[in-house]
Amino acid sequence: MSTPGKRKEVRGMAQFMDVHHNMKGVTADQLREAHNADLAIEKDERVHFERAWADPESGVVYCLSEAPSAEAVQRIHERAGHKADEIHPVPLSI
Amino acid sequence: MSTPGKRKEVRGMAQFMDVHHNMKGVTADQLREAHNADLAIEKDERVHFERAWADPESGVVYCLSEAPSAEAVQRIHERAGHKADEIHPVPLSI
């Protein structure tokens, strides 16, 4: 169990929440395909995409990852064909 | 284990991601206090706040909840003293 408000850090890893806009109408299959495209190459940058949540109506998608940097997260998302619009380190979590 | 891209729905419940801006400098203790204030009254609206992530530098806080509606999520956040700036249903998740 993690300490409230403090997540473990492994070898300089941190947690990130990234946000994609303009994904209106995204389907469950498309979300899964996009996530799988990230997972297929994430190890190249020591990133791991843990969770993703989508609102097809407003077109927003949130991805939670563990990574060495925001730049590493973005490199994977770009190579997978879906650059993030925002990437925030989230050092605090519950 | 949940089916990819499809979360269980219990008695008309859905998942929501809400976002708070302007939380620059938020500390682990403050995040915990705010979350506990939500937990203390969430049952009044059949809401459950599951997770929260904060970026003290940009001041953004994300909260993941299960609730009957976005309005129910907002009523709890307002009563707890921290109205959300955005609330998105996230019917798709991985």
Side-chain angles (χ1 to χ4, degrees):
Chain A
M1 194 172 157
S2 62
T3 306
K6 189 177 177 186
R7 305 284 294 183
K8 66 182 188 304
E9 289 196 15
V10 182
R11 302 183 310 276
M13 302 295 266
Q15 276 204 314
F16 295 88
M17 185 74 83
D18 67 74
V19 188
H20 305 253
H21 300 289
N22 306 312
M23 299 289 285
K24 277 187 188 178
V26 63
T27 65
D29 284 350
Q30 288 168 338
L31 183 67
R32 168 59 60 185
E33 275 171 34
H35 187 64
N36 284 346
D38 289 324
L39 296 184
I41 58 173
E42 65 178 14
K43 284 195 172 57
D44 293 355
E45 299 276 357
R46 296 199 302 136
V47 175
H48 178 53
F49 289 95
E50 299 175 355
R51 300 284 309 272
W53 299 268
D55 176 11
E57 198 174 313
S58 72
V60 68
V61 175
Y62 300 96
C63 300
L64 181 69
S65 63
E66 189 167 79
S69 68
E71 291 73 20
V73 173
Q74 189 66 293
R75 282 193 291 269
I76 296 298
H77 270 339
E78 280 197 291
R79 285 176 53 201
H82 42 255
K83 187 175 174 179
D85 297 303
E86 303 171 40
I87 304 181
H88 296 279
V90 283
L92 307 182
S93 64
I94 289 174
Chain B
M1 196 174 154
S2 62
T3 306
K6 188 178 178 187
R7 303 286 293 183
K8 68 180 186 305
E9 290 195 16
V10 182
R11 301 184 311 276
M13 301 295 267
Q15 275 204 315
F16 294 88
M17 184 75 84
D18 68 76
V19 188
H20 305 251
H21 301 289
N22 306 311
M23 300 288 286
K24 277 187 188 176
V26 63
T27 66
D29 284 348
Q30 288 168 337
L31 183 66
R32 167 60 60 185
E33 275 171 34
H35 187 64
N36 284 347
D38 288 325
L39 296 184
I41 58 173
E42 65 178 15
K43 283 194 175 57
D44 294 355
E45 300 277 355
R46 296 199 302 136
V47 175
H48 178 54
F49 288 95
E50 299 175 353
R51 300 283 310 270
W53 298 269
D55 175 11
E57 198 173 313
S58 71
V60 69
V61 175
Y62 300 97
C63 300
L64 180 70
S65 63
E66 190 168 77
S69 69
E71 291 73 20
V73 172
Q74 188 66 292
R75 282 193 291 269
I76 296 299
H77 271 339
E78 281 196 291
R79 286 176 53 199
H82 43 254
K83 188 176 174 179
D85 297 303
E86 303 171 41
I87 304 180
H88 296 281
V90 283
L92 306 182
S93 64
I94 290 174

